[in-house]
Amino acid sequence: MSETASKALGTPATSPDAGRWKALVFIALAQLMVVLDATIVNIALPSAQQDLGISDGNRQWVVTAYALAFGGLLLFGGRIADLWGRKKAFVVGLAGFAAASALGGAATNEAMMFGARALQGVFGALLAPAALSLLAVMFTDAKERAKAFGIYGAIAGGGGAVGLILGGFLTEYLDWRWTFFVNIPFAIVAAAGAYFVIREPEGGRNRSSLDIPGVILSTLGLVALVYGFTRAESDGWSDSVTVGMFVASAVLLASFVLVESKVKAPLLPLRVITERNRGGIYLSLGLAIIAMFGLFLFLTYYLQIVKGYSPVKTGFAFLPMIAGMITGSTQIGTRLMTRVAPRLLMGPGFLVAALGMLLLTQLEIGSSYAALLLPAMLLLGLGMGTAFMPAMSLATQGVEPRDSGVASAMVNTSQQVGGAIGTALLNTIAASATTSYIADHIVGATSRSQQQLVQLEGMVRGYTSAIWFAVGILVVAAAIALTFVNAGRPGSTTVTGSGADADAADDVQIPVVAH
């Protein structure tokens, strides 16, 4: 922060930490491990299911146990990071994640596997917000912040696709257990590096007493919401338990908001989410993740089932998307972030991604990878990388240090809930379109080969129907970013204003988190 800006806010200027770039390496490594884990296990799931004797009905719990613990405890994890200190929360999160991964790799039955996945979710919920909030408080210069968040955004966006490649290699050439064991060296290196290198700025902790009612209501509300969408995917939207979960989630989260507006030291201070820019970012990011998660799933199935790709070849097929994300985040986003307003990167970024998604609505059984999938993936990667980078930075910019943990947790929460919604919603749309197509065309298919062709055509028709919805969702995300996010470019001192004097420091658009 500049001395002038510091005086304007009545806060002391602090010199940046000399080891901040070394710290970024270990923070990025930890983030990569968490993002990899989200997709790497999916590749290994069929092999693990067979080895451990997990039934088809219980198979989903390998993914669901992690999603519920991670999504439900993120806000609590962010608050613990503010309370303990982000460095301590980061190291403890890494150690716990490594231990849980070791347990998962050594699993001998389904109960042990489900328990390990839930524990990974618990420690991931502590680790993820601590990592993002460390970046927020360590990088205080506008240009440096742009570079740091460019790298972080590229990893957050592209790590999932890297997980597909790594998961394919480990499962095909070693054993599914290595998809868990691979986390251990990541965690050890990141924890050791963080312990010796990271020096957290002083005075940023929130030592207020823990808001226990807020913890209980937010955790139960988010768990009910994530489980509702997960169950909708397998049991349908009209299932009584699915409906019950959505109703319970609405009641619990409404009660949570009410409690947070009344208590003296809330788990999630409402000033964090009611500020116009942050609210717009949480909403647009969540919508973009809905579109992206569904797409990862459809393209994986399309390449493996329709095109007959191996897991490793499928992973490599996603490389153009990774390259696009890295380019969009570290080159376009980083270079333009200090020159243009964030909405002028986020809005066009989501629209470029929507254009890539639009190309994929033309998918057919015989579609050429080079002519259709390659340009579509490049556009998706470029658009998402360009949009994610300023979003990640602005979501924690201008937040008081005592709130940076929960502000970071809200970024992860919007992504986690968006992922659950995307998988369930787009899968349901695809399944419905597939069933309808097969019912209409199977009668005319007399031979076995004709019936198989109709089934494949039905699958592709289902994917393209769902992808049309994803296009619309990305356009809405772009509209929200362009409408809600009105912060000036980093370095300006434009007051966007939520209207409250108490929040004035949050509303001054400066290139740093205030100390």
Side-chain angles (χ1 to χ4, degrees), residues 146 332-340 345 389-390 393 489-490:
I332 301 171
T334 300
R335 290 174 189 276
L336 294 180
M337 187 179 154
T338 53
R339 301 177 188 178
V340 301
L345 289 173
M389 185 263 162
S393 178
R489 64 181 176 80

Side-chain angles (χ1 to χ4, degrees), residues 190-425:
Y195 183 80
F196 291 109
V197 171
I198 290 177
R199 188 168 58 83
E200 191 178 343
E202 294 296 324
R205 291 194 192 181
N206 185 344
R207 299 184 187 275
S208 307
S209 57
L210 199 58
D211 169 23
I212 300 299
V215 170
I216 294 169
L217 288 169
S218 68
T219 301
L220 292 178
L222 288 169
V223 164
L225 183 62
V226 173
Y227 184 58
F229 280 109
T230 304
R231 190 172 174 91
E233 185 189 349
S234 56
D235 294 71
W237 296 90
S238 58
D239 174 69
S240 57
V241 177
T242 302
V243 174
M245 284 292 130
F246 286 136
V247 171
S249 173
V251 171
L252 288 163
L253 292 177
S255 303
F256 170 67
V257 172
L258 184 65
V259 166
E260 297 308 275
S261 67
K262 304 288 185 187
V263 296
K264 185 178 178 183
L267 173 70
L268 175 63
L270 296 183
R271 62 179 174 267
V272 171
I273 54 173
T274 54
E275 200 276 314
R276 176 174 178 159
N277 290 287
R278 280 192 290 278
I281 281 167
Y282 297 146
L283 193 54
S284 60
L285 265 186
L287 286 169
I289 293 292
I290 289 174
M292 284 298 289
F293 256 67
L295 181 76
F296 267 133
L297 197 65
F298 297 146
L299 282 184
T300 302
Y301 280 128
Y302 174 79
L303 291 169
Q304 289 194 21
I305 297 172
V306 179
K307 304 296 274 186
Y309 284 20
S310 69
V312 172
K313 191 176 178 182
T314 300
F316 276 108
F318 279 96
L319 276 177
M321 190 184 292
I322 301 173
M325 282 182 173
I326 292 171
T327 303
S329 190
T330 62
Q331 299 303 312
I332 301 171
T334 300
R335 290 174 189 276
L336 294 180
M337 187 179 154
T338 53
R339 301 177 188 178
V340 301
R343 69 178 178 276
L344 299 180
L345 289 173
M346 290 178 64
F350 288 138
L351 289 175
V352 169
L355 182 60
M357 202 79 84
L358 189 63
L359 288 179
L360 291 173
T361 60
Q362 307 305 307
L363 267 184
E364 295 174 357
I365 290 177
S367 291
S368 161
Y369 177 83
L372 182 67
L373 289 165
L374 178 62
M377 286 190 184
L378 280 171
L379 286 170
L380 273 162
L382 276 171
M384 285 298 192
T386 302
F388 269 41
M389 185 263 162
M392 293 280 189
S393 178
L394 191 58
T396 53
Q397 181 174 296
V399 183
E400 295 175 37
R402 63 196 172 106
D403 295 336
S404 67
V406 288
S408 301
M410 275 302 299
V411 176
N412 295 107
T413 301
S414 66
Q415 291 178 305
Q416 184 66 22
V417 172
I421 295 171
T423 305
L425 178 64

